[in-house]
């Protein structure tokens, strides 16, 4: 048995933050500067009390409705986020009940960031191909805005909140199967992109809360990013990742109809595209309206590529993710 | 690529900069429209043209275009 991506939907919180609004907060920035640096015009921001699992829930409901999917056919749910509801129970358990999935359903959380989507697909494929599941619901949902200090202009202009829902289903049709994965990890870069004060190591304490009292306490932690190092990491790791994905799938670069990478930053993506010598019309960027939505970025871009006809039925799409960890992974899928 | 060509090409990468205003001794942080974006442009330029990676420390420890050029040349030969 093989696995394929059957359907994708996504949900954006209604409130958006425009470049104009950012410029009002940071008078030294211009709208043109922000756009040039990021390729983003607006990013959606969650409201107080609406967390990652809520966005995942809304995305899942949209998936069932938009693609006419019977929720009772789901036999495994993976919830991927860096903002879990609890240390226990697993948030996927709470979502199983909230989404009214069968109690025979398996449920796991995957606390991953930029590479969350490709990891979800990899695990879903393994579950299906090993006969443990038939219909895996992968929810990739992140709320980076809740861990960004309001004065961190570079982070606020880049990140947006969103939830995506992807259904991975068993098939006997090998031509549409999810391909082989290439993965990689280098934890020596962990400090270059990290949410400090977000777990059991160095948790938020009274001193922290006092320090950040004027900005609401930053009680879920504070994201810190060394942009130059992350940029360098991507330039270093993405070209060999792409080569490895192509080699594992016995494909030439020319056989790929569309390349969809983690939507990290449009400037970085265009530098990578040129480095990889991929033509602009085979390289999809969808950031203007949503920003970098962490684990939701690839499924949102895929959904949009399908919607606008850029990715057509039968197309081979190379998906590649890289970022926090450091971690990277990718594969080839068929639309 | 000699230092003069290097300077000229870096200048061309900085769209907002008037041609002829940057020299090898220019302290690049003092370029009028300098922003953190320029650091990424320099890194991308060096990566594309020399296959060399400039680290955040390399940039921190350099002041002028000549300093960057020297770091690139040293890394290229190593």
């Amino acid at each position: 048995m093989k696995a394929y991506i059957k359907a994708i939907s996504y949900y954006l919180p209604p409130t958006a933050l425009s470049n104009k609004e950012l410029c009002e907060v940071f008078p030294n920035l211009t709208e043109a500067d922000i756009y040039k640096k990021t390729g983003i015009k607006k990013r959606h921001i969650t409201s107080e009390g609406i967390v990652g699992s809520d966005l995942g829930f809304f995305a899942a409901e949209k998936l069932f409705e938009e693609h006419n999917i019977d929720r009772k056919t789901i036999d495994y749910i993976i919830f991927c986020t860096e903002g879990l509801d609890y240390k226990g129970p697993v948030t996927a358990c709470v979502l199983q009940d909230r989404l009214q999935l069968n109690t025979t359903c398996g449920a796991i959380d995957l606390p991953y960031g930029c590479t969350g989507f490709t990891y979800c697909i990899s695990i879903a494929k393994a579950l299906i191909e090993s006969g443990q599941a038939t219909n895996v619901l992968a929810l990739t949902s992140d709320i980076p805005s809740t861990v960004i200090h309001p004065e961190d202009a570079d982070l606020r202009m880049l990140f947006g909140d969103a939830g995506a829902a992807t259904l991975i289903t068993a098939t006997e049709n090998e031509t549409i199967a999810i391909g082989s994965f290439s993965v990689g990890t280098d934890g020596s870069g962990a400090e270059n992109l990290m949410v400090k004060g977000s777990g059991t190591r160095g948790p938020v304490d009274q001193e922290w809360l006092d320090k950040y009292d004027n900005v609401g306490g930053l009680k879920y932690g504070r994201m810190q990013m060394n942009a130059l190092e992350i940029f360098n990491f991507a330039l270093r790791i993405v070209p060999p990742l792409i080569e490895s994905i192509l080699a594992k799938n016995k494909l030439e670069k020319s056989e790929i109809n569309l390349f969809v990478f983690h939507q990290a930053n449009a400037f970085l993506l265009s530098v990578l595209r040129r480095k990889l010598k991929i033509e602009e019309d085979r390289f999809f960027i969808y950031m203007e309206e949503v920003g970098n939505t962490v684990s939701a970025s690839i499924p949102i871009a895929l959904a949009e590529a399908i919607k606008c006809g850029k990715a057509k039925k039968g197309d081979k799409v190379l998906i590649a993710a890289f970022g926090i960890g450091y971690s990277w992974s990718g594969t080839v899928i068929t639309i | 690529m000699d230092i003069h060509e290097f300077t000229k090409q870096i200048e061309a990468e900085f769209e907002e900069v008037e041609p002829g205003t940057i020299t090898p001794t220019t302290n690049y942080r003092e370029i009028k429209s300098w922003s953190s974006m320029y650091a990424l442009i320099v890194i991308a330029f060096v990566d594309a043209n020399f296959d060399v990676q400039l680290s955040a420390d390399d940039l921190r420890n350099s002041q002028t275009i000549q300093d960057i050029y020297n770091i690139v040349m040293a890394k290229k030969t190593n």
Side-chain angles (χ1 to χ4, degrees):
Chain A
M1 195 57 77
K2 296 287 180 185
Y4 79 109
I5 293 181
K6 187 173 181 180
I8 304 172
S9 292
Y10 70 89
Y11 174 85
L12 299 170
T15 308
L17 174 67
S18 67
N19 288 355
K20 188 163 176 270
E21 287 167 284
L22 275 174
C23 291
E24 284 161 10
V25 184
F26 303 102
N28 57 330
L29 293 175
T30 67
E31 289 180 57
D33 283 343
I34 298 174
Y35 186 72
K36 190 181 168 200
K37 192 169 182 179
T38 62
I40 299 163
K41 287 183 176 164
K42 65 173 185 179
R43 57 296 285 152
H44 291 255
I45 304 295
T46 193
S47 346
E48 181 74 32
I50 305 295
V51 298
S53 68
D54 295 313
L55 304 188
F57 171 79
F58 297 137
E61 289 292 343
K62 272 186 86 175
L63 180 90
F64 298 150
E65 195 183 320
E66 287 176 349
H67 300 277
N68 195 23
I69 287 156
D70 176 5
R71 66 188 69 216
K72 296 299 178 192
T73 61
I74 307 292
D75 52 8
Y76 221 104
I77 174 171
I78 305 172
F79 178 57
C80 173
T81 186
E82 291 193 304
L84 291 169
D85 285 16
Y86 314 106
K87 288 255 163 53
V90 161
T91 305
C93 290
V94 180
L95 283 165
Q96 171 275 327
D97 180 57
R98 199 170 164 200
L99 286 165
Q100 291 296 294
L101 306 181
N102 280 339
T103 53
T104 49
C105 185
I108 53 170
D109 286 346
L110 190 62
Y112 242 103
C114 317
T115 43
F117 180 73
T118 41
Y119 260 94
C120 272
I121 302 302
S122 161
I123 291 168
K125 171 186 153 91
L127 289 167
I128 290 170
E129 290 188 358
S130 60
Q132 298 179 73
T134 306
N135 287 301
V136 180
L137 176 64
L139 304 180
T140 47
S141 178
D142 270 300
I143 45 169
S145 73
T146 58
V147 290
I148 292 176
H149 191 294
E151 286 170 10
D152 289 341
D154 282 350
L155 298 178
R156 283 186 75 186
M157 66 174 80
L158 197 58
F159 288 99
D161 302 333
T166 306
L167 181 65
I168 304 101
T169 296
T171 177
E172 282 175 1
N173 181 357
E174 289 205 11
T175 62
I176 57 168
I178 296 165
S180 297
F181 279 81
S182 182
V183 296
T185 309
D186 179 6
S188 72
E191 293 271 347
N192 289 328
L193 182 49
M194 180 175 268
V195 186
K196 296 258 166 100
S198 61
T200 48
R201 193 176 293 278
V204 167
D205 55 14
Q206 195 55 50
E207 193 187 338
W208 174 291
L209 292 172
D210 291 344
K211 185 177 168 189
Y212 296 120
D213 185 45
N214 61 333
V215 292
L218 283 174
K219 51 189 184 291
Y220 306 123
R222 179 181 185 179
M223 190 199 295
Q224 292 187 322
M225 176 170 77
N226 182 334
L228 293 186
E229 291 299 346
I230 296 295
F231 191 78
N232 263 328
F233 152 72
L235 288 183
R236 188 172 66 244
I237 218 68
V238 174
L241 170 65
I242 304 311
E243 270 181 42
S244 163
I245 293 167
L246 290 170
K248 286 201 169 183
N249 289 283
K250 297 184 177 63
L251 286 166
E252 295 294 328
K253 207 192 281 176
S254 58
E255 293 175 272
I256 300 296
N257 299 101
L258 197 66
F259 292 82
V260 179
F261 292 1
H262 165 53
Q263 305 286 297
N265 166 317
F267 174 72
L268 166 65
L269 289 176
S270 65
V271 170
L272 286 170
R273 182 186 65 73
R274 287 197 296 271
K275 192 173 160 87
L276 289 158
K277 299 188 171 56
I278 300 168
E279 307 82 346
E280 237 177 318
D281 66 343
R282 286 201 295 149
F283 194 85
F284 196 71
I285 298 180
Y286 188 79
M287 295 198 74
E288 271 190 19
E289 301 296 311
V290 294
N292 174 339
T293 56
V294 195
S295 67
S297 89
I298 293 178
I300 289 175
L302 285 173
E304 287 298 325
I306 293 166
K307 197 167 133 192
C308 73
K310 195 82 195 165
K312 295 176 282 294
K313 194 106 187 132
D315 277 358
K316 296 266 174 236
V317 179
L318 187 148
I319 55 172
F322 44 89
I324 193 164
Y326 298 141
S327 66
W328 56 97
S329 59
T331 189
V332 177
I333 59 167
T334 306
I335 302 298
Chain B
M1 193 185 294
D2 67 13
I3 177 66
H4 299 291
E5 185 59 24
F6 184 83
T7 307
K8 212 171 112 188
Q9 290 205 20
I10 289 263
E11 188 180 69
E13 294 283 328
F14 299 163
E15 285 167 18
E16 290 89 352
V17 175
E18 287 286 321
T21 52
I22 298 181
T23 69
T25 55
T26 302
N27 183 332
Y28 60 83
R29 285 191 195 80
E30 288 169 5
I31 296 169
K32 210 172 140 203
S33 52
W34 176 263
S35 72
S36 56
M37 178 72 186
Y38 281 26
L40 302 185
I41 291 173
V42 170
I43 290 175
F45 170 78
V46 168
D47 178 80
N49 289 279
F50 299 92
D51 200 21
V52 160
Q53 288 224 309
L54 287 177
S55 67
D57 277 344
D58 290 335
L59 287 173
R60 212 170 290 129
N61 297 329
S62 61
Q63 304 285 326
T64 65
I65 302 294
Q66 179 79 52
D67 291 344
I68 297 176
Y69 182 77
N70 294 346
I71 293 169
V72 172
M73 289 303 133
K75 286 196 166 185
K76 188 78 190 158
T77 41
N78 284 339

